[in-house]
Amino acid sequence: MTLADRGAALAPDLYDYDFENDPAETLIRLRREDPAHWSRHGFWYLTRYDDCAMVLKDPVRFSSAAAGWGGGNPLARPGGDAAASETEQALSRTLAQSFNQMDAPAHTRIRALVVSAFSRRSVEERRRRIVEVVENLLDAAAAKGRFDLVADFGFHVPIIVASEIIGIPADDREAFRAAFELTGRLMAPKRSEEAWSEALEAGRWVGRYVRALIAERRAQPRDDLISALIAAEDERGALSDPELSSAISTIYTAAGTTTERMISSGLFLLLAHPEQWRALVADRSLVGPAIEEILRFHHPTQSTSTNRRCTVEVELRGKTLRAGDTVRVGLGAANRDPDVFPDPERFDVRRRMAQPPLSFGAGPHFCVGAALARFEARLAIDAVADRWPDLRLVTTAPVKDPRRHDRYRELIVQAD
């Protein structure tokens, strides 16, 4: 099969703004017509639940190491990329040290040192501080009357909490967040030299900042995750500085940047379905199921998602995935697979699910921040329902942010 043959039937640009802004119809077609789709960006894109779950649970045939992001991206390719710049090669080496880009036993070792900070017990111990963060933000929002669920609330809760867990000082929080956000461009195709150069510089800045923070904590430990990881040892010894740096970036993503979209988009979905919002306000036992339905219905990235690399040739849906090919599992697409979730395009907080949504992944790389994300979302939804049972949407037809296609530009609400 030639490259042209691979994408002949249906060839959407999975990074195009119009697609990201409203991907549902395209994903329906992909699931039905081309569930193992060869993207124009040089990777296989899977959209059916069973296929995505299989890839996530099979690290032998689908490796996380050097998985890459497709032919249009020079980073993290197996064997390196001779045409890449020194900065790109350095970032590829850094990515290779991230435990979400590793297989066992290296992945198992580093994950074991990190996971205790995100256990249900550890998360519950942070309840008071998370409630304080939520209430402070809602106090500021209340003073406005009309406010933005993204910029005034959901955006800040997990970023503040994640920064405090890791040990990023409050004065540096915004600079770190802004630089880290820019590095997100490095996980997509290289669109322009200017945007790519900005992202590379942001990556260098994040690297320098994290290395300096590690050095500071080695000299003066504090009650934070960086200090705990420095002190942690297992039978193979402590983490190296590159492993520490990459682990911190991975944790920041897991505990911070994805949850801010879940909170704001989740509240939008609830308010956009007034009967379901009123039912939840009256019966808080619905908050848990509502969070699972939010995760299913509105995964932050409905297009591309987790990447893997084929280690052997695999036959799937009539296609041949070759050893070395990059495979990306569409978690948002899988979460609307009608073979698993009846009437999947309907949002329903009372939905009974036979299978869990794949929003946090599955298998050995299941998201370490899942318990914290659910906990923050629960506290945020409860707090808003307590304050404003009659909160109403002003933004009724939101659009994605052109700067970040995985979140809404704004979600304005009115607190009467």
Side-chain angles (χ1 to χ4, degrees):
M1 177 182 290
T2 67
L3 295 185
D5 291 336
R6 283 175 165 181
L10 180 61
D13 184 347
L14 298 175
Y15 292 96
D16 181 70
Y17 175 78
D18 288 338
F19 167 73
E20 294 271 25
N21 192 44
D22 188 11
E25 289 302 318
T26 301
L27 295 179
I28 289 171
R29 283 195 63 195
L30 283 171
R31 275 193 305 269
R32 183 175 60 238
E33 300 174 23
D34 194 14
H37 171 72
W38 180 256
S39 165
R40 66 175 69 181
H41 297 296
F43 56 82
W44 293 101
Y45 180 55
L46 309 183
T47 49
R48 291 191 180 172
Y49 185 98
D50 289 349
D51 298 338
C52 292
M54 177 268 295
V55 168
L56 294 171
K57 296 175 182 178
D58 185 355
V60 175
R61 293 190 300 164
F62 300 97
S63 171
S64 296
W69 284 276
N73 188 310
L75 298 182
R77 291 178 179 170
D81 187 337
S85 68
E86 289 185 12
T87 300
E88 289 167 340
Q89 291 176 18
L91 281 172
S92 290
R93 290 191 294 271
T94 299
L95 287 167
Q97 296 292 324
S98 175
F99 68 94
N100 71 335
Q101 296 289 314
M102 293 178 177
D103 298 322
H107 168 260
T108 309
R109 169 181 165 254
I110 298 175
R111 183 184 174 96
L113 296 175
V114 170
V115 73
S116 62
F118 297 96
S119 67
R120 284 183 172 81
R121 178 178 176 180
S122 296
V123 166
E124 180 62 43
E125 289 173 351
R126 296 184 181 277
R127 174 187 289 270
R128 181 177 297 180
R129 176 55 182 154
I130 296 171
V131 169
E132 181 181 24
V133 169
V134 167
E135 294 297 339
N136 287 344
L137 290 167
L138 292 181
D139 285 345
K144 294 183 176 182
R146 177 176 291 198
F147 66 94
D148 185 352
L149 288 173
V150 178
D152 295 323
F153 185 49
F155 188 82
H156 298 286
V157 174
I159 297 299
I160 293 171
V161 174
S163 297
E164 292 181 355
I165 289 173
I166 292 167
I168 299 169
D171 290 345
D172 298 341
R173 188 186 299 144
E174 177 55 26
F176 187 85
R177 184 209 60 77
F180 198 87
E181 182 173 293
L182 275 177
T183 65
R185 296 176 185 173
L186 300 174
M187 313 307 164
K190 188 176 181 179
R191 294 289 200 179
S192 74
E193 290 297 332
E194 180 181 4
W196 192 257
S197 295
E198 288 178 352
L200 288 174
E201 178 53 38
R204 285 193 291 265
W205 186 93
V206 169
R208 290 194 299 269
Y209 180 87
V210 171
R211 287 192 296 273
L213 203 57
I214 290 170
E216 182 180 309
R217 293 298 188 275
R218 286 195 186 281
Q220 294 181 311
R222 298 185 185 177
D223 183 18
D224 56 36
L225 186 58
I226 296 177
S227 301
L229 289 175
I230 290 171
E233 293 193 15
D234 63 5
E235 65 276 8
R236 298 192 183 188
L239 297 177
S240 66
D241 278 5
E243 288 174 335
L244 270 170
S245 295
S246 294
I248 290 163
S249 294
T250 301
I251 293 162
Y252 187 79
T253 300
T257 58
T258 54
T259 310
E260 52 102 345
R261 303 187 288 271
M262 174 185 168
I263 291 173
S264 55
S265 298
L267 283 165
F268 166 75
L269 282 171
L270 290 167
L271 295 170
H273 296 81
E275 180 274 330
Q276 297 189 51
W277 172 249
R278 288 192 295 270
L280 180 148
V281 168
D283 179 4
R284 297 306 172 84
S285 70
L286 288 174
V287 174
I291 290 171
E292 298 309 299
E293 179 67 345
I294 289 165
L295 287 166
R296 184 198 71 81
F297 193 84
H298 192 87
H299 185 272
T301 304
Q302 285 284 0
S303 56
T304 56
S305 192
T306 306
N307 55 327
R308 295 289 188 268
R309 174 177 54 84
C310 286
T311 61
V312 295
E313 189 172 285
V314 177
E315 295 294 325
L316 184 65
R317 304 289 177 184
K319 308 289 182 66
T320 301
L321 286 59
R322 297 186 300 245
D325 281 356
T326 294
V327 180
R328 302 199 68 170
V329 293
L331 303 183
N335 285 343
R336 296 198 190 185
D337 187 337
D339 289 341
V340 179
F341 304 102
D343 196 7
E345 303 303 318
R346 176 174 56 87
F347 179 77
D348 182 5
V349 299
R350 299 179 181 87
R351 180 183 296 274
R352 293 177 180 271
M353 301 187 199
Q355 297 289 338
L358 294 176
S359 305
F360 293 121
H365 283 268
F366 184 82
C367 180
V368 295
L372 178 62
R374 286 186 170 103
F375 193 64
E376 288 174 341
R378 173 181 284 277
L379 293 178
I381 291 169
D382 265 333
V384 172
D386 285 343
R387 284 200 185 217
W388 299 301
D390 298 318
L391 189 69
R392 59 183 177 85
L393 288 172
V394 176
T395 302
T396 56
V399 296
K400 296 294 180 66
D401 189 335
R403 298 168 300 174
R404 285 290 301 271
H405 298 178
D406 54 0
R407 70 175 177 224
Y408 288 121
R409 183 171 62 193
E410 63 178 16
L411 294 169
I412 306 300
V413 293
Q414 179 68 45
D416 295 322

